[in-house]
Amino acid sequence: MTGRHRRHLPSAARFAAIVAGALAVAGVVVGVRAGVGRVDAADCATPVRLTVAAPQEIASAVRASAAEWARTKAAGKKGCIAVDVQARSAPEVAAAVSREQRVTLAGVGTAQAAAVPDVWVADSASWLLRLRTAAPAFAFTEDGSLAQSPVVVAMPEPIAKELGWPRKQLTYADLLTAMTTDTSVRPGTVDPSRDAAALSGLLALDAAAATQPRADAAGAVLRALATDASTLREDLMAQLPQSDDPGTLAGSLGLAVMPEYDVVAYNSDQPAVPLTALYLTPSPAPLDYPFAVLPGADPAHADAAHRLYEHLTQSPAFRERLGVAGLRSADGTIPTGLQTPTGAPRATPPPADGGSAAAPKVDDAAINRTLAAWSAVVAPARALAVVDASKSMSTPVPSARNATRMQVSLAAAKGGLKLFGDDWQLGLWMSAAGLDTNGNHRELVPVRPLRDNRGAVAAALGSIRPSGGDGALYRTIVDGYRQLRDGWQPGRVNSLIVLTDGVGDEEITLPDLLRQLQGLRTQDRPVQIIIVGLGDAVDRQPLEQITDTTGGGVFVAEDPAQIEAVFLQALSLRTATPR
């Protein structure tokens, strides 16, 4: 859960509080289903039951205002409405949507039980952007924002003062130096594939690092943050110092990106060491709580949802409830009751647009590139890349100035190679019928550490050309999977990465392939298969059966000119646990 933290307690008491809180949230969700729907629709034979999922920090404000609205004539003029507001984290809802859309999103997987709501109030529009990129048919309606919370860099106050705050307005350059060269400041983060605030901050830090003279500044930032990465924000908050003595400060979390509301909540408990919130310029994209009506809602539910949004955005009571929850209004201004940290702007400054080199526009390409780079750092791989070299890969791509499928594939692979650290182990094969004595693939570079292998891989990628043969994908997948399993190494994501424009005339049948993979698969040596497909003629069904057997995922660039974005998205998935 990525919602607001609760009072900081010693470990045993804190664990009990977390368990109690989780049970309370579960009770609230069940209670709302059983209670609000019945109370608000008591006089209705067939009420419209609208389900709304929202993160914990805003759910209570939405629930209270929705209950008030459901009792009004404005809500009932087209029939009775019951609103069920469920406190659900963004990764949980994203996993449920991913399951329904048959896609996989890095960091969240697919939920097996959770239902998809009628309305989703995610904490950030970046979730909707990621899902729309992964599933272009994900046709939701986004009405607008309900609230905001600026994304800040939080530091224990004594550490911020050592860097010159508040006399000096700290900059990205100051923080990058502190993160990568000052051993007295211990940075940390929540996994950005699961936390929108962490992703927003990482995008801004990465953009700032690109302007620094140090060639590897962006990589140094990622490595520094990954050292103390947490899955849950509560775990990150638990690492904050409990006293201001030098030893405790040196061993505790000294810098982390988080939403403003978390700083407000933490300081409201009057901790021994309060947090300082740094509002950087240009600012990271804030959490903006978009109100999205999800696909599948019938006209009555969609109409009720849109009218609920109008009520929330026009309600003074809802604005006051946001302030109590530690959130700003949708326009970024401060509502009554919100005590912001020292130095907070009166209104959230807009993030810089794509014209600024220091803060590029937050789009799907930037997100995919950042998450792929994060995955490359936190999950070093032992990987074998297979490039389909069948004759169909010579097909021109009109949207890529008639470059061939092979050329656009290799360009994407070369871009991915730049993300991989020297501790990666990588090998390269090309695959087509009749290539070599084994009849289906040729080893171009054996799997070895990139510190010794990078030049050889880059040169081999530049030498691959489509052959005159048909595809031989199934046999190559079996051979590649077997080699990776036999040479499997702990502490790494062992992956077979396949770039192909689809299944051709295969030597073995799909059932035979699946039986062989099932026979090779072992629980103690998991190997993922990541398949990147090119073109709108790719049949996903057999490829998905392969990855369902081994773990991994299928990513298809229907327009091969978009292969780079899809390739980066596929790389970011590697943090998922193999099944």
Side-chain angles (χ1 to χ4, degrees):
M1 188 175 75
T2 56
R4 182 188 307 187
H5 87 292
R6 295 296 179 240
R7 183 178 299 275
H8 190 76
L9 300 171
S11 57
R14 182 176 173 275
F15 177 77
I18 291 174
V19 172
L23 293 174
V25 169
V28 167
V29 172
V30 173
V32 169
R33 282 191 184 199
V36 172
R38 292 177 181 172
V39 172
D40 293 341
D43 299 329
C44 305
T46 56
V48 173
R49 297 186 178 277
L50 190 68
T51 58
V52 180
Q56 178 70 24
E57 66 269 17
I58 196 175
S60 59
V62 174
R63 183 181 297 120
S65 294
E68 289 177 351
W69 170 75
R71 290 190 288 265
T72 66
K73 291 182 179 179
K77 63 184 178 182
K78 293 188 179 181
C80 299
I81 297 173
V83 184
D84 174 9
V85 179
Q86 306 167 3
R88 295 171 63 183
S89 70
E92 178 189 352
V93 181
V97 174
S98 296
R99 181 203 64 227
E100 185 177 84
Q101 298 292 323
R102 293 189 59 81
V103 297
T104 306
L105 216 60
V108 301
T110 56
Q112 297 301 314
V116 174
D118 300 313
V119 174
W120 182 19
V121 181
D123 57 2
S124 169
S126 63
W127 286 107
L128 299 174
L129 181 58
R130 290 175 63 189
L131 280 164
R132 184 162 43 198
T133 301
F138 180 47
F140 62 90
T141 301
E142 187 177 348
D143 283 350
S145 172
L146 289 184
Q148 275 197 24
S149 190
V151 172
V152 302
V153 174
M155 302 183 76
E157 190 173 284
I159 295 178
K161 287 182 176 179
E162 286 180 5
L163 296 179
W165 181 90
R167 303 183 312 277
K168 173 184 177 183
Q169 183 175 357
L170 298 179
T171 66
Y172 281 104
D174 296 323
L175 296 180
L176 293 174
T177 299
M179 292 171 65
T180 59
T181 64
D182 187 347
T183 57
S184 66
V185 178
R186 191 186 119 197
T189 186
V190 185
D191 182 350
S193 68
R194 294 182 54 83
D195 187 276
L199 175 59
S200 175
L202 186 56
L203 287 165
L205 288 168
D206 184 63
T211 67
Q212 300 301 302
R214 177 177 171 178
D216 188 35
V221 167
L222 287 170
R223 290 189 292 273
L225 290 172
T227 300
D228 283 306
S230 303
T231 302
L232 301 177
R233 184 163 296 280
E234 287 85 350
D235 295 336
L236 185 78
M237 304 296 284
Q239 300 177 50
L240 291 167
Q242 298 304 292
S243 70
D244 60 0
D245 67 89
T248 299
L249 287 173
S252 302
L253 185 69
L255 181 156
V257 173
M258 62 184 66
E260 180 186 71
Y261 75 78
D262 257 336
V263 177
V264 171
Y266 189 84
N267 287 344
S268 69
D269 287 344
Q270 298 183 337
V273 182
L275 285 178
T276 295
L278 305 180
Y279 296 81
L280 301 179
T281 303
S283 62
L287 300 186
D288 56 353
Y289 299 90
F291 185 99
V293 182
L294 299 190
D298 60 39
H301 284 77
D303 177 70
H306 295 315
R307 286 188 286 127
L308 172 61
Y309 170 75
E310 291 177 0
H311 170 76
L312 293 174
T313 53
Q314 296 171 12
S315 167
F318 179 65
R319 177 181 167 90
E320 291 181 7
R321 290 183 176 113
L322 291 177
V324 172
L327 299 171
R328 296 186 179 221
S329 302
D331 61 1
T333 56
I334 302 172
T336 302
L338 174 56
Q339 297 296 318
T340 55
T342 301
R346 295 186 60 82
T348 303
D353 61 21
S356 169
K361 183 179 180 181
V362 177
D363 55 18
D364 58 339
I367 290 173
N368 285 333
R369 184 169 53 252
T370 298
L371 291 182
W374 172 259
S375 174
V377 169
V378 300
R382 182 176 186 272
L384 174 61
V386 174
V387 177
D388 183 348
S390 58
K391 60 184 179 182
S392 58
M393 291 289 282
S394 62
T395 304
V397 179
S399 56
R401 298 183 179 180
N402 285 324
T404 65
R405 292 176 181 174
M406 178 65 78
Q407 289 170 328
V408 297
S409 298
L410 296 180
K414 291 175 183 176
L417 181 62
K418 296 176 182 177
L419 298 175
F420 307 156
D422 285 346
D423 58 345
W424 269 55
Q425 296 181 11
L426 185 67
L428 180 64
W429 288 3
M430 59 186 292
S431 171
L435 271 181
D436 217 328
T437 54
N438 59 23
N440 61 81
H441 75 263
R442 179 181 300 159
E443 181 180 77
L444 302 178
V445 182
V447 177
R448 291 198 303 252
L450 272 179
R451 66 174 56 88
D452 308 318
N453 220 21
R454 190 180 299 274
V457 173
L461 283 171
S463 69
I464 298 177
R465 300 290 183 272
S467 76
D470 290 323
L473 201 62
Y474 288 173
R475 181 71 69 186
T476 300
I477 286 174
V478 171
D479 292 344
Y481 189 94
R482 179 182 291 108
Q483 183 179 109
L484 286 167
R485 187 210 60 178
D486 292 347
W488 190 90
Q489 290 187 3
R492 296 180 181 273
V493 180
N494 293 255
S495 305
L496 181 65
I497 304 172
V498 181
L499 285 81
T500 180
D501 61 352
V503 175
D505 295 328
E506 299 295 332
E507 298 178 58
I508 59 176
T509 66
L510 179 62
D512 286 341
L513 167 65
L514 299 179
R515 277 193 294 270
Q516 292 188 52
L517 290 174
Q518 190 64 46
L520 290 169
R521 183 172 179 261
T522 61
Q523 293 293 332
D524 61 335
R525 293 190 169 199
V527 175
Q528 288 186 341
I529 297 181
I530 306 294
I531 302 177
V532 180
L534 306 163
D536 56 7
V538 172
D539 184 358
R540 297 181 64 108
Q541 192 267 343
L543 303 179
E544 288 174 344
Q545 289 190 56
I546 295 170
T547 59
D548 284 345
T549 300
T550 64
V554 176
F555 300 82
V556 177
E558 295 188 0
D559 178 358
Q562 303 303 313
I563 181 61
E564 181 177 5
V566 174
F567 187 67
L568 292 174
Q569 182 188 2
L571 291 179
S572 69
L573 173 72
R574 298 177 318 100
T575 54
T577 301
R579 286 169 289 183

